[in-house]
Amino acid sequence: MVVKPLTGNYAAAYAAKLARVKVVAAYPITPQTTIVEKLAQFIDNGEMDAEMIRVESEHSALAAAYGAASGGVRAFTATSSHGLLYMHEMVWWVAGARVPLVMVIVTRTIGPPWNIWSDHSDLMDQRDSGWIIMMAEHNQEVLDETIKMFKITEDPRVFLPGMVGLDAFILSHTTEPVDLPGQELVDSFLPPRRQPYIMKAGDPILMGNVPRDLHDNMRMREDIHKSLEEAKKVIQEVDEEWYKLTGRRYGGLIECYRCEDADHFIIGMGAWVGDMREAADRLREKGIRVGVIKVRYVRPFPREELLKWLTNAKSVIVFDRGVSAGSAGQLFLDVAAHLMAAGVRVPVKNVLAGVTGLDVTYEDIADAVLKSVAEVEETGRFSTFIEWYYGR
Amino acid sequence: MNPHGKVLPISRPGPGVAGKTGTWRVMRPVYDPSKCVKCRLCWLYCPENVIDVNEGGERFISIDYDYCKGCGICSSVCPTGAIKMVPEGGA
């Protein structure tokens, strides 16, 4: 292992190289572009034995990567924002076909107006598709989780594609020291590729033909759901295996910070969880026992883990960097629904901050949490479940 | 099909899952072995896979009329006019 200063994008590119990806199909879009630029460079200088397919759109990028993966090799692509939305039809297609594939998403808001900064609207727009979806906090996690995602997606209990998300610019273009594992270590971690079927000449298979019976079709949907539930166990196992090789583990679907004695919980995902940790430290200095739950995997949703921590909480504040307009933040909706379904009656509030890429500091988070906690301590509840927070 | 216990949207191709599509035919391809130069273009281009090649046979190709939809691609790609399209039920 060697520690190398890497941007989030380069960490993703190194991970794809170390996973011995054989086909990369990509179309450039800011701020994802330097991932595939780096991969193109690896291929060009002979460091990586892979084909780079240049395509005319993101829809084709995922279609080409999917075609290669159907043919039996590890395939990779990366995109962002409007590119991901343009891919959306293929996103569902790959999950429905049950073809393991890894895609890195540099999360960026969606226009109009034209805007390149980070929020989670693009990633969260994919959450019903059947992909495994995770969000990284820092560049080390980008590298670790991209490598691990190949193992998770190719596990016979799962056989679904997976996305690794990282925040635009906050991670994608920011350099951090990253512990880069050696090729032998990654080779010992990743088994040869496994997938449910391989498309090859001389052994014809039809994929996606009109169903003879719609019961079969509905069973396919149910099987995707059940396989995502199965994936929870696989994600946990893979986290432990990686820990044994590298000394790094994150706790599976969620990662907790100062949760053990916490009264009030902050929930979030992505890079600003780092700021949430800082905010929790500051609030604890004021005597408010705050814990942070980082949602690492949003699909499958960490229902059991959250219930474990939140059942006896005094309050829960969910920070979303995206909103399901006309309802509430996507992460909040999942948290609130699963608490309610389990009969847990805890005051829950949604803070929408950083939507469209507005900068959010740890002071902002501490400020929003402090006000919310004060209300709950005084009245035992939140008078409003949703707050649009624009800063102090 | 469900290898690995997963319910997958895959199937094996087989003949005639949509019934005898030959009944859809309006024009019928008729083969004249005397003009055939055995180039196999009709066999290659047939989108329905209903043309078989008979190596060494008197008639170099045969057409499965149960499933031929009469699209005419074989006739169109034939370089010597060995396949002619004639109306079904005609004289």
Side-chain angles (χ1 to χ4, degrees):
Chain A
M1 272 184 225
V2 50
V3 176
K4 224 175 150 70
L6 293 178
T7 62
N9 279 357
Y10 280 8
Y14 271 97
K17 172 175 167 282
L18 285 164
R20 295 191 186 277
V21 162
K22 288 288 173 216
V23 174
V24 181
Y27 193 80
I29 181 169
T30 302
Q32 166 276 137
T33 309
T34 55
I35 298 177
V36 289
E37 273 179 5
K38 191 72 184 167
L39 287 168
Q41 192 184 43
F42 285 146
I43 294 168
D44 185 54
N45 68 17
E47 278 181 76
M48 188 174 170
D49 177 24
E51 292 285 328
M52 169 67 78
I53 306 176
R54 287 174 298 165
V55 288
E56 77 285 8
S57 75
E58 285 88 354
H59 189 281
S60 302
L62 187 53
Y66 156 73
S70 295
V73 296
R74 275 194 189 124
F76 178 87
T77 187
T79 192
S80 188
S81 188
H82 290 259
L84 181 55
L85 265 59
Y86 192 17
M87 267 183 192
H88 189 61
E89 182 192 12
M90 284 310 300
V91 168
W92 278 71
W93 195 260
V94 178
R98 308 301 302 263
V99 171
L101 176 76
V102 176
M103 170 154 72
V104 168
I105 306 300
V106 183
T107 62
R108 168 187 145 184
T109 193
I110 298 163
W114 217 236
N115 176 341
I116 57 170
W117 305 113
S118 181
D119 76 14
H120 299 162
S121 308
D122 52 358
L123 189 80
M124 292 307 254
D125 198 50
Q126 316 303 316
R127 72 196 188 283
D128 301 338
S129 62
W131 284 57
I132 293 171
I133 301 175
M134 83 80 56
M135 193 70 205
E137 183 190 349
H138 44 75
N139 294 351
Q140 183 70 61
E141 201 176 12
V142 171
L143 178 119
D144 289 341
E145 242 36 45
T146 305
I147 293 170
K148 284 149 85 177
M149 195 61 95
F150 285 97
K151 188 156 192 165
I152 296 162
T153 55
E154 293 170 11
D155 189 291
R157 289 167 289 178
V158 181
F159 282 154
L160 284 167
M163 288 178 201
V164 175
L166 63 145
D167 286 273
F169 300 104
I170 303 168
L171 295 190
S172 71
H173 288 63
T174 303
T175 300
E176 291 182 330
V178 174
D179 199 342
L180 200 60
Q183 187 65 59
E184 305 74 36
L185 185 148
V186 177
D187 286 347
S188 74
F189 171 74
L190 285 179
R193 181 174 167 84
R194 294 175 290 181
Q195 61 191 89
Y197 56 91
I198 294 174
M199 294 281 188
K200 52 177 181 279
D203 182 25
I205 297 174
L206 288 170
M207 201 299 293
N209 207 2
V210 179
R212 185 182 44 190
D213 177 352
L214 290 184
H215 291 82
D216 292 340
N217 203 159
M218 185 156 157
R219 279 185 201 105
M220 289 171 200
R221 274 280 128 204
E222 186 187 6
D223 196 64
I224 289 173
H225 176 73
K226 284 182 169 166
S227 300
L228 280 169
E229 289 290 332
E230 282 277 299
K232 291 178 177 176
K233 203 162 45 187
V234 178
I235 291 163
Q236 206 82 42
E237 285 172 17
V238 169
D239 198 44
E240 286 300 316
E241 284 173 48
W242 190 246
Y243 168 71
K244 280 180 196 140
L245 292 170
T246 65
R248 287 189 299 277
R249 73 176 143 198
Y250 300 93
L253 298 165
I254 64 168
E255 188 178 3
C256 271
Y257 181 68
R258 304 188 81 168
C259 288
E260 283 72 18
D261 63 343
D263 295 324
H264 305 277
F265 286 84
I266 313 176
I267 300 181
M269 61 179 203
W272 65 347
V273 171
D275 300 292
M276 290 171 188
R277 294 172 194 267
E278 192 71 35
D281 290 345
R282 302 292 163 120
L283 290 165
R284 276 177 177 264
E285 282 166 18
K286 294 184 201 288
I288 304 163
R289 288 203 299 233
V290 172
V292 178
I293 297 178
K294 172 171 99 179
V295 172
R296 301 180 68 239
Y297 283 79
V298 67
R299 286 294 179 276
F301 190 72
R303 177 178 189 276
E304 295 79 7
E305 288 81 352
L306 289 177
L307 287 173
K308 186 185 137 201
W309 289 107
L310 303 180
T311 300
N312 297 309
K314 281 193 183 167
S315 80
V316 179
I317 302 156
V318 185
F319 280 80
D320 267 293
R321 267 193 116 105
V323 60
S324 178
S327 183
Q330 298 98 340
L331 197 52
F332 167 82
L333 288 171
D334 273 340
V335 172
H338 287 291
L339 286 176
M340 181 61 80
V344 176
R345 301 300 301 256
V346 173
V348 192
K349 180 181 172 175
N350 191 193
V351 176
L352 295 165
V355 176
T356 73
L358 212 67
D359 196 28
V360 182
T361 65
Y362 70 85
E363 287 113 323
D364 291 327
I365 293 165
D367 174 56
V369 172
L370 188 63
K371 285 176 189 155
S372 301
V373 165
E375 190 190 7
V376 150
E377 293 282 8
E378 198 185 317
T379 67
R381 62 185 205 93
F382 292 121
S383 56
T384 170
F385 76 90
I386 195 163
E387 178 184 353
W388 287 79
Y389 186 86
Y390 284 85
R392 286 162 299 139
Chain B
M1 284 172 72
N2 54 355
H4 304 280
K6 298 296 180 200
V7 188
L8 302 173
I10 59 172
S11 53
R12 291 286 175 187
V17 284
K20 299 223 164 167
T21 48
T23 59
W24 302 4
R25 202 169 50 239
V26 178
M27 301 287 279
R28 178 186 186 87
V30 176
Y31 172 58
D32 177 356
S34 69
K35 291 185 183 163
C36 179
V37 293
K38 305 182 180 180
C39 68
R40 295 173 167 82
L41 280 177
C42 56
W43 168 79
L44 187 65
Y45 277 88
C46 175
E48 295 299 326
N49 228 358
V50 298
I51 295 179
D52 279 334
V53 166
N54 315 305
E55 295 290 349
E58 212 169 288
R59 295 172 70 84
F60 188 69
I61 63 151
S62 53
I63 299 168
D64 185 345
Y65 290 107
D66 280 350
Y67 300 108
C68 167
K69 292 172 184 167
C71 71
I73 288 173
C74 53
S75 167
S76 164
V77 297
C78 179
T80 62
I83 300 176
K84 286 261 179 302
M85 298 305 288
V86 300
E88 283 289 348

